[in-house]
Amino acid sequence: MSTIYLFGDSVMKGVTYSAENNSYSIHKRNLELSGGDTLVNRSVFGATAGKVLSELERRLPEDSRGDTVVLSFGGNDSDHDWAEVSAHPEAVHGPKTPSGEFERLFTRCVELVRSRGADVIASSLIPIDAEKYMDRISRGLSRENILAWLGSESMLYRWHEHYDRLVRNLASGLNVPLVDLREPFLVSHEFGGLLSADGIHPTEMGHCMIDSTLSCALGA
């Protein structure tokens, strides 16, 4: 019997958003695992690469031989301080975790998991809905200023995709198997129903798609 650990951000935790109630709820991961395997979800709302590393250091058992750790993060790392962008659209603004630091932290996460004897798998980022996300981040702020800084609304999608590519390149370079969570979203004719009104968190339907993709990747 082995344990499957999920270490990631709110997407992997199962967070979904309701615009009607302006509230978040949690979808319980429903993975089909091999007989006797146990699922432990250590994902954290708002987690960046640095937070995931801290969680691994604190919550992954020192002896994890025979276990598997799924690393799933990057979306929060790519995000910006939108209040600052709104207030100072003429300034230079960086992401929460710059690309070089993200690469360093991602590599450290992989090294730590392997040092404790577990197998490691990474996941790609699910896509965002830039239009929905723009509505969300500009709420109570200057949409005009944020858009002026971005150049175009599509920059939100493209910048997020940049971090997806970082994850893919890192996984390849570190010989880490990659679960592609992004492609099933991109090719779905029901894409609009897979992401919540905030443009970044999956709906129940989206989370069920993630569960199915993860189950297949884990060999259930």
Side-chain angles (χ1 to χ4, degrees):
M1 185 176 72
S2 63
T3 301
I4 308 295
Y5 291 98
L6 306 179
F7 280 86
D9 55 25
S10 55
V11 171
M12 190 53 65
K13 186 173 180 63
V15 172
T16 187
Y17 172 73
S18 169
E20 182 178 352
N21 302 318
N22 190 29
S23 62
Y24 294 94
S25 58
I26 304 294
H27 163 88
K28 185 176 181 181
R29 285 270 160 257
N30 183 27
L31 305 187
E32 297 178 12
L33 303 177
S34 299
D37 286 354
T38 302
L39 179 69
V40 177
N41 196 340
R42 299 297 192 198
S43 301
V44 179
F45 193 99
T48 58
K51 177 64 175 178
V52 171
L53 178 57
S54 296
E55 289 294 301
L56 283 167
E57 291 172 337
R58 188 168 64 91
R59 307 188 74 181
L60 182 64
E62 291 288 342
D63 185 356
S64 294
R65 285 173 291 182
D67 296 333
T68 299
V69 173
V70 179
L71 299 177
S72 183
F73 55 89
N76 291 312
D77 299 275
S78 74
D79 204 14
H80 291 74
D81 185 334
W82 299 113
E84 281 297 307
V85 172
S86 174
H88 306 286
E90 76 291 344
V92 175
H93 301 278
K96 289 182 179 178
T97 311
S99 300
E101 180 67 357
F102 181 81
E103 291 171 338
R104 185 188 72 80
L105 290 168
F106 187 99
T107 301
R108 180 66 190 116
C109 285
V110 171
E111 291 172 344
L112 189 148
V113 172
R114 286 173 169 166
S115 73
R116 297 191 180 182
D119 292 327
V120 58
I121 296 174
S123 84
S124 61
L125 307 185
I126 66 166
I128 66 170
D129 185 314
E131 183 178 350
K132 290 180 180 178
Y133 190 46
M134 184 68 181
D135 290 341
R136 181 66 176 171
I137 64 175
S138 60
R139 186 179 300 176
L141 302 174
S142 172
R143 185 187 185 96
E144 181 180 0
N145 283 358
I146 292 174
L147 189 56
W149 181 78
L150 287 170
S152 72
E153 196 174 85
S154 66
M155 184 61 186
L156 290 169
Y157 183 93
R158 288 184 284 116
W159 186 249
H160 184 269
E161 185 177 34
H162 167 61
Y163 274 72
D164 177 70
R165 288 176 180 268
L166 287 177
V167 169
R168 291 171 185 272
N169 290 338
L170 285 161
S172 176
L174 295 167
N175 294 316
V176 174
L178 182 83
V179 182
D180 194 344
L181 299 182
R182 193 177 190 86
E183 184 176 6
F185 279 76
L186 293 176
V187 301
S188 174
H189 290 267
E190 299 179 309
F191 182 76
L194 298 176
L195 292 174
S196 299
D198 63 4
I200 55 174
H201 291 106
T203 58
E204 283 291 329
M205 187 191 307
H207 279 300
C208 288
M209 181 177 285
I210 290 173
D211 289 343
S212 176
T213 304
L214 280 174
S215 294
C216 290
L218 292 170

Coordinates of all heavy atoms in Angstrom, one line a residue, residues 2-7 56 59-71 109-122 174-177:
S2 N 0.5 2.2 -0.8 CA 1.3 3.5 -0.9 C 0.4 4.7 -0.8 O -0.8 4.5 -0.9 CB 2.1 3.5 -2.2 OG 1.2 3.6 -3.3
T3 N 1.0 5.8 -0.6 CA 0.3 7.1 -0.4 C 0.5 8.0 -1.6 O 1.7 8.1 -2.0 CB 0.7 7.8 0.9 OG1 0.4 6.9 2.0 CG2 -0.1 9.1 1.0
I4 N -0.5 8.5 -2.2 CA -0.4 9.5 -3.2 C -0.6 10.9 -2.6 O -1.7 11.2 -2.0 CB -1.5 9.3 -4.3 CG1 -1.5 7.9 -4.8 CG2 -1.3 10.4 -5.4 CD1 -0.3 7.5 -5.6
Y5 N 0.4 11.7 -2.6 CA 0.3 13.1 -2.0 C 0.1 14.1 -3.1 O 0.8 14.1 -4.1 CB 1.6 13.4 -1.2 CG 1.8 12.6 0.0 CD1 2.7 11.5 0.0 CD2 1.3 13.0 1.2 CE1 2.9 10.8 1.2 CE2 1.5 12.3 2.4 CZ 2.3 11.2 2.4 OH 2.6 10.5 3.5
L6 N -0.8 15.0 -2.9 CA -1.0 16.2 -3.8 C -0.5 17.4 -3.1 O -1.0 17.8 -2.0 CB -2.5 16.3 -4.1 CG -3.2 15.1 -4.7 CD1 -4.7 15.5 -5.0 CD2 -2.5 14.6 -6.0
F7 N 0.5 18.0 -3.6 CA 1.1 19.3 -3.1 C 0.9 20.3 -4.2 O 1.6 20.3 -5.2 CB 2.5 19.2 -2.7 CG 2.8 18.5 -1.4 CD1 2.8 17.1 -1.3 CD2 2.9 19.3 -0.2 CE1 3.1 16.5 0.0 CE2 3.1 18.7 1.0 CZ 3.2 17.3 1.1
L56 N 6.1 20.9 1.7 CA 6.9 19.7 1.6 C 7.8 19.4 2.7 O 7.9 18.3 3.2 CB 7.6 19.7 0.2 CG 6.8 19.5 -1.0 CD1 7.6 19.8 -2.3 CD2 6.3 18.0 -1.2
R59 N 5.5 18.7 5.8 CA 4.4 17.7 5.9 C 4.6 16.4 5.1 O 3.8 15.5 5.2 CB 3.1 18.4 5.4 CG 2.8 19.7 6.1 CD 1.4 20.2 5.8 NE 0.4 19.4 6.4 CZ -0.9 19.6 6.3 NH1 -1.3 20.6 5.5 NH2 -1.8 18.9 6.9
L60 N 5.7 16.3 4.3 CA 6.1 15.1 3.6 C 6.9 14.3 4.6 O 8.0 14.7 5.0 CB 6.8 15.3 2.3 CG 7.2 14.1 1.5 CD1 5.9 13.4 1.0 CD2 8.0 14.5 0.3
P61 N 6.5 13.0 4.9 CA 7.3 12.2 5.8 C 8.8 12.0 5.3 O 9.0 11.9 4.1 CB 6.6 10.9 5.8 CG 5.1 11.2 5.5 CD 5.3 12.4 4.5
E62 N 9.7 12.0 6.3 CA 11.1 11.8 6.0 C 11.3 10.6 5.2 O 12.2 10.5 4.3 CB 11.9 11.8 7.2 CG 12.0 13.1 8.0 CD 12.9 14.2 7.3 OE1 13.7 13.7 6.4 OE2 12.8 15.4 7.6
D63 N 10.6 9.5 5.5 CA 10.7 8.2 4.8 C 9.4 8.1 4.0 O 8.4 7.6 4.5 CB 10.9 7.1 5.7 CG 11.2 5.8 5.0 OD1 11.1 5.8 3.7 OD2 11.4 4.7 5.6
S64 N 9.5 8.4 2.7 CA 8.3 8.3 1.8 C 8.6 7.3 0.7 O 8.0 7.4 -0.4 CB 8.0 9.7 1.3 OG 7.5 10.6 2.3
R65 N 9.4 6.3 0.9 CA 9.7 5.3 -0.1 C 8.4 4.6 -0.5 O 7.7 4.2 0.4 CB 10.7 4.3 0.4 CG 12.2 4.9 0.5 CD 13.1 4.0 1.2 NE 12.9 3.9 2.6 CZ 13.6 3.1 3.4 NH1 14.6 2.4 3.0 NH2 13.3 3.1 4.7
G66 N 8.3 4.4 -1.8 CA 7.1 3.8 -2.3 C 5.9 4.7 -2.5 O 4.9 4.3 -3.1
D67 N 6.0 5.9 -2.1 CA 4.9 6.9 -2.2 C 5.1 7.7 -3.5 O 6.2 7.7 -4.1 CB 4.8 7.8 -1.0 CG 4.4 7.0 0.3 OD1 3.8 6.0 0.1 OD2 4.8 7.5 1.4
T68 N 4.1 8.5 -3.9 CA 4.2 9.4 -5.0 C 3.7 10.7 -4.6 O 2.7 10.9 -4.0 CB 3.3 8.8 -6.2 OG1 3.8 7.5 -6.6 CG2 3.3 9.8 -7.4
V69 N 4.4 11.8 -5.1 CA 4.0 13.1 -4.8 C 3.7 13.8 -6.2 O 4.5 13.8 -7.1 CB 5.2 13.9 -4.1 CG1 4.8 15.4 -4.0 CG2 5.4 13.3 -2.7
V70 N 2.5 14.4 -6.3 CA 2.1 15.2 -7.4 C 2.3 16.6 -7.1 O 1.7 17.2 -6.1 CB 0.7 14.9 -7.8 CG1 0.3 15.8 -9.0 CG2 0.4 13.4 -8.1
L71 N 3.1 17.3 -7.9 CA 3.4 18.8 -7.7 C 2.5 19.5 -8.7 O 2.6 19.3 -9.9 CB 4.9 19.1 -7.9 CG 5.9 18.4 -7.0 CD1 7.3 18.8 -7.4 CD2 5.6 18.8 -5.5
C109 N 11.9 21.6 -5.0 CA 10.8 20.8 -4.6 C 11.0 19.4 -5.1 O 10.8 18.4 -4.4 CB 9.5 21.3 -5.2 SG 8.8 22.8 -4.4
V110 N 11.5 19.2 -6.3 CA 11.7 17.9 -6.9 C 12.8 17.2 -6.2 O 12.7 16.0 -5.8 CB 12.1 18.0 -8.4 CG1 12.6 16.7 -9.0 CG2 10.9 18.5 -9.2
E111 N 13.9 17.9 -5.9 CA 15.0 17.4 -5.1 C 14.6 16.9 -3.8 O 15.0 15.8 -3.3 CB 16.1 18.4 -5.0 CG 16.8 18.7 -6.4 CD 17.8 19.9 -6.3 OE1 17.7 20.6 -5.3 OE2 18.6 20.0 -7.2
L112 N 13.8 17.7 -3.1 CA 13.4 17.3 -1.7 C 12.5 16.0 -1.8 O 12.7 15.1 -0.9 CB 12.6 18.4 -1.1 CG 12.2 18.3 0.4 CD1 12.2 19.7 1.1 CD2 10.9 17.6 0.6
V113 N 11.6 16.0 -2.7 CA 10.7 14.7 -2.8 C 11.6 13.5 -3.0 O 11.4 12.5 -2.4 CB 9.7 14.9 -3.9 CG1 9.0 13.6 -4.1 CG2 8.7 16.0 -3.6
R114 N 12.5 13.6 -3.9 CA 13.4 12.5 -4.3 C 14.3 12.1 -3.1 O 14.6 10.9 -2.9 CB 14.2 12.8 -5.5 CG 13.4 12.7 -6.8 CD 14.1 13.2 -8.0 NE 13.4 12.9 -9.3 CZ 13.7 13.4 -10.4 NH1 14.7 14.3 -10.6 NH2 13.0 13.1 -11.5
S115 N 14.7 13.1 -2.3 CA 15.6 12.8 -1.2 C 14.9 12.1 -0.1 O 15.5 11.4 0.7 CB 16.2 14.2 -0.6 OG 15.1 14.9 0.1
R116 N 13.6 12.1 -0.1 CA 12.8 11.4 0.9 C 12.2 10.1 0.3 O 11.4 9.4 1.0 CB 11.7 12.3 1.4 CG 12.2 13.5 2.1 CD 11.2 14.3 2.9 NE 11.9 15.5 3.5 CZ 11.3 16.3 4.3 NH1 10.0 16.2 4.6 NH2 12.0 17.3 4.9
G117 N 12.7 9.7 -0.9 CA 12.4 8.4 -1.4 C 11.2 8.3 -2.2 O 10.9 7.2 -2.7
A118 N 10.4 9.3 -2.4 CA 9.1 9.2 -3.1 C 9.3 9.5 -4.6 O 10.3 10.1 -5.0 CB 8.1 10.2 -2.6
D119 N 8.4 8.9 -5.4 CA 8.4 9.3 -6.8 C 7.7 10.6 -7.0 O 6.9 11.0 -6.2 CB 7.6 8.2 -7.6 CG 8.3 6.9 -7.7 OD1 9.5 6.8 -7.7 OD2 7.6 5.9 -7.6
V120 N 8.1 11.4 -8.0 CA 7.5 12.7 -8.2 C 6.9 12.8 -9.6 O 7.5 12.4 -10.6 CB 8.6 13.8 -7.9 CG1 9.8 13.7 -8.9 CG2 7.9 15.2 -8.1
I121 N 5.8 13.4 -9.6 CA 5.0 13.7 -10.9 C 4.7 15.2 -10.8 O 4.3 15.8 -9.8 CB 3.8 12.9 -11.0 CG1 4.1 11.4 -11.1 CG2 2.9 13.3 -12.2 CD1 2.9 10.5 -11.1
A122 N 4.7 15.9 -12.0 CA 4.3 17.3 -12.1 C 3.0 17.4 -12.9 O 2.8 16.5 -13.7 CB 5.4 18.2 -12.7
L174 N 14.3 17.8 -15.7 CA 14.5 17.0 -14.4 C 14.1 15.6 -14.5 O 14.1 14.9 -13.5 CB 13.8 17.8 -13.3 CG 14.4 19.2 -13.0 CD1 13.4 19.9 -12.0 CD2 15.7 19.1 -12.3
N175 N 13.6 15.2 -15.7 CA 13.1 13.8 -15.9 C 11.9 13.5 -15.0 O 11.9 12.4 -14.3 CB 14.2 12.8 -15.7 CG 15.3 12.9 -16.7 OD1 15.0 13.0 -17.9 ND2 16.6 12.8 -16.3
V176 N 11.0 14.4 -14.9 CA 9.8 14.3 -14.1 C 8.6 14.0 -15.0 O 8.4 14.8 -15.9 CB 9.6 15.5 -13.2 CG1 8.2 15.4 -12.5 CG2 10.7 15.8 -12.2
P177 N 7.9 12.9 -14.8 CA 6.7 12.7 -15.6 C 5.7 13.8 -15.5 O 5.6 14.4 -14.4 CB 6.2 11.4 -15.1 CG 7.3 10.7 -14.4 CD 8.2 11.8 -13.8

